[in-house]
């Protein structure tokens, strides 16, 4: 059944099949190279390089491959395709091991306590190239995915398209007609976005938690909405009937899903490798970028999964695309500018960073409102208070899948927070530091408070203070949705071409100026589709 839903060849193109086969053989043979595309000529030069394998990168590599351009993708994380000793590729949130975190001895989950006890985070042994990273800055922890597929490996799969009016406000220079008629539908189709069957949503015990929160929101006069997802809800129904191995019903999500989710390695990246023109190098981190006469030269560090440095090398390219994510891309370009490797880069690099207004909170329900022992980790509903003129919020109803009845309703709210962070280059440590003051999170908290105070008032409930250390009602000191740092139209032109240099492009969430009003990966994907279509049409030679 697993194979039927996830890899049914009747619904799969030959190209995707070829790409998936390349992933499988790389995993079987423990290779750190997926695909065999080779450029003619020098071994240390390739026409195009794409840094990272997240959303922006995956789109870019596929379209480059289709255009016949030999492309190498460089990914600092590993390929997640081979089962470990327990027969599973990923570990669950309930029994995390070294696969969970990027070079850490302990997990760093966003909910850090339960009943005020320090029981959530666990020791996970020897540091390893795990799938989830938390980049800690003063007052802000940024969660990102590490591995082939970037954030798609660890995210909740929620795939909403932003409201058009807000999109137009955030990115006024982008033709919204073209985005909503062409690129958003294309992104949705390519990512495999689906919606839960409403009859299933209404009857299944695994979404009781969502229905309880929805009822409370409606009692308080708020609207709710169903959020599309890239998780296969038919698979979920089979999980519930125990016909297939469980994933969403086995507490799997932020440390990876073993089944059910259409992560990028199963969609865009498989298609990209399947073109025969794209190769992915894993466990390879780009540390520096400079220019030479034929284009750009990258300094690479190759590690093994235990973090041991195996090799330092250089790779040249004519066209360079940065898709290392908001923090990764910003750091690489900031370093290049500040070390005078690429001194003409825009002064705007490092600015316009935001959290998409992320804030997490939880409510304590009455004893007659249980949220369920068995909860799907894949969210499907949100409270939509976006039209509030003072405190707009779009709050995803999140699960708390710990296998016990908790009577807790959990939320990750996306709010409008006008505050922006700025990265500066720390020469002593050779890294980008984020300047974000604790108070800059307050507008997010105020919007979430306006929404949840009202729900608590009407339903006679209170906040749970036991889930976030420090007895807090709200946690806005971390984010899942880092956006900005190399903003479209400022650090780049209106199509992601870095200002000051030719053939240098930004293609990921760093283009979006800090906020998009919904979970961001569909927008990142659609924007990357739009930008690469223009770049291929006007800038590139095969
Ligand atoms: P991203 O996916 O972060 O990919 C960047 C890649 O570049 C990563 O694989 C890095 O390992 C790699 N990289 C970075 N630096 C280097 C370097 N120097 N050399 C080589 N490789 C490098 O970028 N969004 C939604 O829309 N819906 C959700 O349900 C959702 N849930 C989330 C849950 C969690 C726990 C997290 C962490 C995020 C969630 N997000 C969600 C956010 C979403 O995953 C994120 O916006 C996108 O993944 C960002 O895509 P990018 O292409 O910008």
């Amino acid at each position: 059944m697993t194979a039927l839903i996830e890899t049914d060849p009747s619904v799969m193109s030959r190209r995707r099949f070829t790409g998936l086969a390349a992933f499988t053989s790389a995993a079987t043979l423990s290779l750190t190279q997926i695909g065999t595309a080779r450029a003619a000529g020098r071994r240390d030069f390739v026409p195009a390089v794409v840094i990272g394998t997240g959303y922006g990168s995956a789109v870019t590599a596929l379209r480059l491959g289709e255009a016949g351009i030999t492309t190498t993708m460089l990914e600092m994380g590993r390929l997640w395709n081979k089962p470990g000793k327990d027969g599973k590729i990923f570990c669950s949130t309930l029994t995390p091991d070294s696969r969970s975190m990027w070079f850490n001895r302990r997990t760093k989950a966003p909910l850090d306590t339960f009943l005020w006890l320090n029981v959530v985070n666990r020791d996970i042994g020897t540091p390893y190239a795990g799938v989830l990273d938390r980049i800690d800055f003063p007052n802000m922890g940024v969660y990102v995915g590490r591995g082939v597929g970037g954030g798609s490996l660890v995210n909740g799969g929620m795939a909403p398209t932003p409201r058009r009016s807000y999109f137009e406000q955030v990115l006024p220079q982008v033709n919204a007609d073209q985005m909503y008629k062409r690129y958003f539908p294309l992104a949705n189709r390519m990512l495999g976005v689906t919606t839960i069957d409403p009859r299933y949503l209404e009857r299944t015990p695994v979404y009781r938690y969502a229905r309880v929160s929805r009822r409370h929101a409606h009692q308080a006069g708020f609207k709710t909405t169903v959020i599309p997802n890239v998780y296969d809800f038919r698979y979920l129904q089979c999980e519930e009937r125990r016909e297939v191995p469980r994933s969403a019903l086995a507490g799997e999500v932020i440390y990876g899903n073993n089944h059910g989710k259409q992560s990028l390695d199963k969609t865009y990246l498989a298609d990209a490798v399947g073109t025969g023109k794209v190769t992915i190098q894993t466990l390879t981190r780009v540390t520096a970028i400079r220019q030479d006469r034929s284009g750009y030269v990258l300094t690479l560090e190759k590690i093994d999964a235990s973090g041991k440095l195996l090799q330092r090398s250089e790779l040249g390219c004519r066209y360079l695309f940065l898709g290392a994510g908001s923090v990764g891309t910003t750091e690489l370009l900031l370093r290049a500018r500040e070390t005078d490797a690429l001194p003409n880069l825009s002064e705007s690099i490092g600015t316009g960073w935001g959290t998409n207004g992320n804030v997490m909170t939880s409510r304590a329900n009455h004893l007659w409102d249980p949220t369920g022992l068995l909860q799907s980790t894949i969210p499907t509903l949100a409270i939509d208070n976006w039209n509030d003129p003072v405190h707009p919020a779009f709050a995803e109803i999140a699960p708390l899948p710990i296998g016990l009845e908790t009577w807790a309703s959990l939320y990750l709210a996306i709010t409008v927070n006008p505050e922006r962070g700025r990265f500066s280059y720390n020469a002593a440590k050779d890294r980008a530091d984020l300047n974000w003051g604790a108070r800059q999170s307050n507008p997010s908290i105020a919007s979430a408070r306006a929404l949840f105070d009202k729900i608590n008032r009407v339903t006679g409930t209170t906040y749970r203070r036991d889930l976030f250390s420090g007895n807090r009602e709200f946690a806005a000191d971390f984010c899942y949705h880092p956006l900005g740092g190399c903003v479209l139209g400022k650090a780049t032109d209106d199509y992601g071409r870095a200002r000051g240099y030719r053939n240098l492009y930004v293609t990921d969430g760093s283009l979006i100026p800090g906020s998009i009003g919904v979970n961001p990966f569909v927008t990142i994907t659609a924007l990357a589709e739009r930008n690469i279509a223009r770049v291929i049409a006007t800038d590139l030679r095969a």
Side-chain angles (χ1 to χ4, degrees):
M1 192 65 195
T2 316
L4 192 120
I5 288 178
E6 291 178 1
T7 56
D8 181 353
S10 65
V11 294
M12 192 185 293
S13 69
R14 179 183 297 270
R15 190 164 69 189
R16 183 163 297 179
F17 190 76
T18 309
L20 288 172
F23 275 87
T24 308
S25 58
T28 313
L29 301 170
S30 298
L31 303 178
T32 54
Q33 174 174 308
I34 306 147
T36 51
R38 275 258 168 270
R42 286 161 48 197
R43 275 194 60 220
D44 58 354
F45 181 88
V46 67
V49 164
V50 178
I51 305 177
T53 54
Y55 291 90
S57 304
V59 170
T60 303
L62 169 60
R63 301 307 173 201
L64 290 171
E66 283 179 334
I69 295 162
T70 306
T71 302
T72 296
M73 302 185 83
L74 302 167
E75 168 57 52
M76 65 194 272
R78 54 162 281 199
L79 169 63
W80 290 95
N81 227 9
K82 190 175 179 177
K85 286 190 193 121
D86 59 357
K88 294 185 175 167
I89 295 170
F90 298 108
C91 59
S92 95
T93 49
L94 298 175
T95 49
D97 58 30
S98 61
R99 289 170 290 186
S100 60
M101 299 294 305
W102 180 254
F103 296 111
N104 246 295
R105 291 187 183 277
R106 207 169 153 73
T107 58
K108 291 181 169 183
L111 292 185
D112 41 9
T113 55
F114 186 75
L115 297 175
W116 293 278
L117 299 171
N118 197 4
V119 290
V120 178
N121 283 312
R122 313 269 177 87
D123 290 335
I124 50 173
T126 322
Y128 180 79
V131 72
L132 182 70
D133 195 2
R134 177 175 157 132
I135 310 169
D136 280 312
F137 300 106
N139 309 310
M140 182 54 60
V142 181
Y143 284 96
V144 294
R146 296 272 179 241
V148 177
S152 78
L153 298 168
V154 298
N155 68 34
M158 279 167 284
T161 295
R163 286 156 209 81
R164 181 167 169 155
S165 54
Y166 193 62
F167 178 87
E168 287 174 344
Q169 198 181 315
V170 172
L171 291 167
Q173 69 276 53
V174 176
N175 179 336
D177 254 350
Q178 196 188 42
M179 289 297 291
Y180 282 79
K181 284 196 184 124
R182 182 157 180 203
Y183 293 114
F184 278 120
L186 174 64
N188 276 288
R189 198 166 63 244
M190 289 294 301
L191 292 166
V193 175
T194 59
T195 309
I196 191 168
D197 177 345
R199 288 164 304 181
Y200 176 61
L201 173 61
E202 295 312 321
R203 69 161 194 263
T204 174
V206 307
Y207 283 117
R208 179 196 288 266
Y209 73 90
R211 297 194 300 270
V212 166
S213 278
R214 181 181 61 185
R215 175 159 43 80
H216 293 165
H218 290 176
Q219 273 174 260
F222 295 112
K223 286 192 300 182
T224 56
T225 184
V226 171
I227 320 178
N229 205 291
V230 295
Y231 200 86
D232 186 336
F233 289 108
R234 293 168 306 160
Y235 188 86
L236 182 66
Q237 295 195 39
C238 297
E239 286 182 51
E240 197 182 329
R241 296 195 296 267
R242 290 208 175 270
E243 293 167 2
V244 293
R246 287 184 162 183
S247 183
L249 298 189
E252 293 175 2
V253 63
I254 60 170
Y255 305 138
N257 279 95
N258 283 299
H259 307 279
K261 191 161 74 176
Q262 290 284 88
S263 44
L264 288 168
D265 48 322
K266 303 194 174 70
T267 59
Y268 271 103
L269 292 170
D271 287 353
V273 171
T275 62
K277 289 283 178 184
V278 176
T279 305
I280 305 173
Q281 302 283 354
T282 64
L283 293 169
T284 304
R285 190 165 85 96
V286 178
T287 57
I289 306 168
R290 65 183 163 81
Q291 241 188 337
D292 79 353
R293 282 165 62 204
S294 39
Y296 298 94
V297 180
L298 310 179
T299 308
L300 311 183
E301 282 183 1
K302 181 109 193 158
I303 57 166
D304 67 14
S306 71
K308 186 173 156 210
L309 181 63
L310 300 179
Q311 192 191 5
R312 265 202 192 90
S313 61
E314 291 198 327
L315 179 66
C317 62
R318 187 177 313 130
Y319 304 105
L320 178 58
F321 295 84
L322 285 99
S326 165
V327 176
T329 291
T330 305
E331 178 170 84
L332 282 168
L333 290 182
L334 202 57
R335 180 183 292 133
R337 189 187 71 198
E338 296 302 305
T339 57
D340 274 345
L342 300 176
N344 300 330
L345 284 170
S346 161
E347 278 305 308
S348 288
I349 285 168
T351 68
W353 186 86
T355 64
N356 205 18
N358 280 186
V359 48
M360 207 174 238
T361 190
S362 178
R363 296 174 40 251
N365 292 313
H366 296 292
L367 285 182
W368 58 84
D369 261 339
T371 46
L373 287 171
L374 182 62
Q375 302 191 4
S376 166
T377 56
I378 301 299
T380 50
L381 289 175
I383 304 172
D384 187 352
N385 192 35
W386 201 257
N387 288 336
D388 186 306
V390 187
H391 291 302
F394 181 79
E396 114 199 8
I397 300 173
L400 194 53
I402 62 168
L404 299 170
E405 178 53 59
T406 62
W407 286 275
S409 286
L410 185 68
Y411 308 89
L412 178 71
I414 294 165
T415 60
V416 175
N417 183 342
E419 293 290 336
R420 290 293 170 264
R422 170 186 271 273
F423 288 90
S424 47
Y425 178 64
N426 180 333
K429 297 196 167 148
D430 187 29
R431 65 160 199 233
D433 287 340
L434 174 66
N435 303 292
W436 180 270
R439 284 207 216 134
Q440 291 185 273
S441 297
N442 287 350
S444 301
I445 294 175
S447 287
R449 186 180 282 292
L451 172 63
F452 293 107
D453 274 4
K454 184 163 178 205
I455 295 181
N456 280 337
R457 206 165 47 243
V458 169
T459 58
T461 52
T462 55
Y463 291 103
R464 295 270 307 233
R465 293 167 159 268
D466 61 309
L467 301 180
F468 310 107
S469 54
N471 207 30
R472 290 171 299 158
E473 294 167 342
F474 296 93
D477 56 348
F478 71 85
C479 76
Y480 283 174
H481 302 163
L483 293 172
C486 303
V487 169
L488 192 80
K490 293 194 169 141
T492 73
D493 77 353
D494 289 349
Y495 289 88
R497 299 179 182 99
R499 290 200 198 280
Y501 291 87
R502 279 166 54 91
N503 301 336
L504 182 65
Y505 308 89
V506 175
T507 181
D508 55 22
S510 62
L511 291 171
I512 298 175
S515 166
I516 198 63
V518 290
N519 316 64
F521 75 60
V522 170
T523 309
I524 295 170
T525 305
L527 196 62
E529 288 278 18
R530 165 204 180 258
N531 293 350
I532 192 64
R534 169 62 67 103
V535 166
I536 286 176
T538 57
D539 298 18
L540 300 197
R541 284 176 285 127

